[in-house]
Every structure is written in C-alpha cells, then in structure tokens.
C-alpha cells in the first residue's frame, strides 16, 4: 500500500520575507510567494516525516542565487570556533550529539553562537 500523502500549499509572507532578505517588499514578486508541493508521510517508530517530492526550487535558486540552508543538522555547518570548543571539551553541557541530531540549527555562525550560548 502506498504511503499516505498529498500536496501542501506553501504561502510566504511578503513583509516577513523582505525583512529576512533585507530588501523592499515591492521588490518581491507576489506570484512567487505561493506554491504547491507534493509530499509523502513516512513513519519511523514514533517519528513522522514529510518527504517532499518534486518540490519547486527555492526562491533563491529560481533567481539564480545560492543561499545557505535555513536550518542545518550537520556538524559540518558549525562555526569553526564552536567546533574548537567541542574538540577541547569546552562546549555547553547541553550541546550534545543528540541535540545536534534532533535540533536544527541556523547555518549562520552568528545565530549559532546565540543559540548555543543559551544552552
């Protein structure tokens, strides 16, 4: 039996997006703020994951820009100074491998420092 799924409609807020990108709202094409993406739901134990299939390109890709991922879960994206603190055993007690796997973190190093300093 095929996994359950459907299509989800994504609607981006023009004002919030312009604030995040640091540009004027009128520079964002309103037609590009809504799209539909097919998905499948998959269960792994108690965890439910949505797998997007044939998703449209992100706005940055459609505009020919390369943007960092908004959220990451790989230690490869950690700021070098954070990696050094982990290697020397000076990281916050709650900054564990389990935390890094289960919690997505920003690709921006400044935001990582803020997020991890709160641990």
């Amino acid at each position: 039996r095929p996994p359950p799924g459907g299509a989800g409609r994504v609607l981006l807020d023009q004002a919030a997006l312009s604030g995040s990108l640091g540009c004027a709202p009128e520079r964002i094409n309103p037609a590009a703020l809504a799209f539909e993406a097919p998905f499948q739901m998959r269960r792994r134990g108690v965890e439910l994951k949505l797998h997007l299939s044939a998703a449209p390109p992100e706005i940055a890709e459609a505009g020919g820009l390369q943007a960092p991922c908004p959220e990451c879960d790989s230690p490869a994206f950690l700021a070098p100074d954070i990696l050094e603190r982990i290697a020397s055993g000076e990281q916050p007690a709650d900054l564990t491998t389990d935390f890094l796997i289960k919690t997505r973190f920003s690709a921006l190093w400044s935001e990582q420092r803020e997020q991890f300093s709160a641990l």
Side-chain angles (χ1 to χ4, degrees):
R1 157 180 117 166
R9 183 164 173 80
V10 177
L11 203 26
L12 302 173
D13 180 272
Q14 187 172 15
L17 183 60
S18 70
S20 294
L21 295 175
C23 70
E26 58 272 5
R27 294 201 55 209
I28 297 174
N29 179 1
L33 296 175
F35 57 90
E36 287 190 19
F39 69 89
Q40 291 185 341
M41 295 186 298
R42 304 212 178 206
R43 286 207 172 272
R44 266 181 64 191
V46 297
E47 189 176 90
L48 176 66
K49 288 191 175 189
L50 292 178
H51 291 270
L52 297 177
S53 51
E58 292 181 5
I59 294 171
E61 293 170 358
L65 302 173
Q66 184 177 3
C69 60
E71 296 179 316
C72 301
D73 61 0
S74 170
F77 293 103
L78 288 173
D81 58 305
I82 294 173
L83 287 172
E84 287 177 21
R85 288 184 64 198
I86 292 171
S88 65
E90 298 172 12
Q91 79 277 8
D94 291 334
L95 181 54
T96 63
T97 304
D98 190 49
F99 175 86
L100 291 174
I101 291 170
K102 292 183 178 178
T103 307
R104 292 199 169 281
F105 53 87
S106 173
L108 299 175
W109 292 348
S110 59
E111 290 179 10
Q112 289 175 15
R113 291 179 188 106
E114 288 177 29
Q115 180 182 3
F116 299 152
S117 69
L119 294 177

